[in-house]
Amino acid sequence: MPRVDCLLAIILLAALVIRLYSVAFGLPALTDPDELMFELGAYRMIDGGQLNPEWFGHPATTTMYMLALIDVAVLGLGLATGRFTSVENFAAAIYADPSILVLPHRIAIVLIAVVGIALAYRLATLLFGRPTGLVTAAVLAVSPVHITYSQLVRSDMMATVFMLLAMLCALAYARHGSIRALVVTGFCIALAITTKWPFVVIFLSLAGAVVLRWRNGLESGRRTLVLITAAAAGTMAAMVLISPFLIIEWNTVIANLRGEVQPHHLGATGGSLIDNAFWYMREPFVRAFGITGLTLAAIGAVFAVRSREFVAVALVTGIAMLVLASSQYIVWERWILATVPLLAMLVALALMRVAAMAGTRLKFHAAPLAAGALMAATLVPLLFAALADGRERMNDTRLMASAWLRANAAPGSTVFVEHFAFDLVESEFDFVFPLGIMGCQDVRGLLDGRIDNSLIASARGGRSNIDYGTVVPEKIDTCRADYAVLSQYARYAVEKERFPGAWSQYSDLIARGEKVAEFRPERGVAGGWPVMILRFPDNE
């Protein structure tokens, strides 16, 4: 095996091991609330024997189709081995223990993420050479943000991989003018859009490749316009081919999009475009690359803009992604994921160029040492941060609360929970869970009734969160219990002026109860949010 191929294999294997290390975090509880939406959408297709996901918020169609195929494989294997005796038995098992499906789903996302690292290596290699490609892969392998979203059942990582495929195909078209490459580019863009709406901006990569050929005198202006127009039409046609329900269920699509667009969101309300852009720079991007990495990315950008190909197929799309994310009402760390491979490329390019300049100024034996020291200063802190993140995910405050209940609460007690505590389903407690306008509902009754996305969407009533604070006041008495496990109260305490009604409900509940336990996150030790357990003696 050539030396470069061997190094790439080592990097990809290390990336895989790092991501699998804590991939089962929290299970069978779901500590990321959005995972359940994807799980329900995928399973309901199997349960209903249909191809319609019935939810298009991301739209995540391709992601749900992949998850549904995995569901079929798990069911088939379970029936063949006797793990499940029937489809009904399978359904009962996964609603009691969602890890039966969630774990293989997460592993699939991990594998997709590693493929994405290989694609980023390929793109960086074609643009700037193999050494830059290898360092790009190494940076992504240990980037904490990339690792986090490699382990979650969401559409973000899958869309990012389709984006990288589209950029590679666009680059191929820019260099060779193959119509086939242009068609494949459009199809990859369609896959990305049907995975996550904002990835529509990847069309700029296709347009950039066509315009670059015109700028290089390889295409006429008229043909350039015709190609871009035809590619846009072809991309839209491919979207309909991939997910015809985007047209068939257009009213559901609009309703889901309205539900996704919120002016405020607990813990994620943004500001102006400039404010949001600065937030992304000082929070998610710093977590993804560290201060050293971001500095190198800025240096790398100075060199990268000299490449017309990089500007045409990658830079313009990356900037558009950041502007689109920054222009929203709310801010999410995951919205930078599409730009992470591109910034990793800039970090790698800077490392290579600095090493080359060091080689011209230092003695021959000193230059590699200087380059190695700079690379270590960039990668080692990221690796330690990623490992600390993994420990936090595996030791979440909500899991601590479950352990406390099992050890201290009397069997038969009624427990109110506002997170997906599937780890307590088999315990000897009765549970109620908040569902907005429906009030608090019996958990086992919901599971037996096969809760789905439509029920959750209607219960939310346009609210961004499902928790005690968003239970309608006239239904608040349905949440009475012997114990209350509050995992959202601290977040509302920080934003009490923005959510006064919700905070008032929490304040009243806390005032009535006796605090018997509290768990707080600790860097590198415990993750999650502050969790408080209240006991209500009057209910016993």
Side-chain angles (χ1 to χ4, degrees), residues 255-342:
N256 291 158
L257 287 174
R258 285 175 178 168
E260 289 294 305
V261 179
Q262 299 285 339
H264 303 290
H265 197 295
L266 184 63
T269 302
S272 67
L273 187 151
I274 299 300
D275 291 336
N276 292 346
F278 275 112
W279 180 83
Y280 281 116
M281 289 297 178
R282 69 174 183 269
E283 296 287 345
F285 281 123
V286 168
R287 195 170 92 81
F289 299 105
I291 297 297
T292 302
L294 274 185
T295 303
L296 286 170
I299 296 172
V302 174
F303 297 109
V305 294
R306 301 173 186 175
S307 166
R308 284 188 172 186
E309 291 180 333
F310 175 78
V311 172
V313 304
L315 182 61
V316 173
T317 295
I319 292 173
M321 278 286 189
L322 180 58
V323 171
L324 181 61
S326 300
S327 64
Q328 304 302 304
Y329 292 118
I330 56 180
V331 291
W332 291 114
E333 179 184 74
R334 58 182 175 268
W335 284 354
I336 72 160
L337 191 60
T339 61
V340 167
L342 307 182

Side-chain angles (χ1 to χ4, degrees), residues 169-170 173 177-187 206-207 209-210 227-228 231 235:
C169 294
Y173 174 77
S178 166
I179 294 299
R180 180 182 177 184
L182 196 64
V183 170
V184 176
T185 302
F187 189 75
L206 184 151
V210 177
L227 286 173
I228 292 175
T235 299

Side-chain angles (χ1 to χ4, degrees), residues 422-436:
F422 286 95
D423 53 334
L424 292 174
V425 168
E426 298 297 327
S427 62
E428 298 180 3
F429 306 128
D430 295 322
F431 296 96
V432 292
F433 181 81
L435 271 180

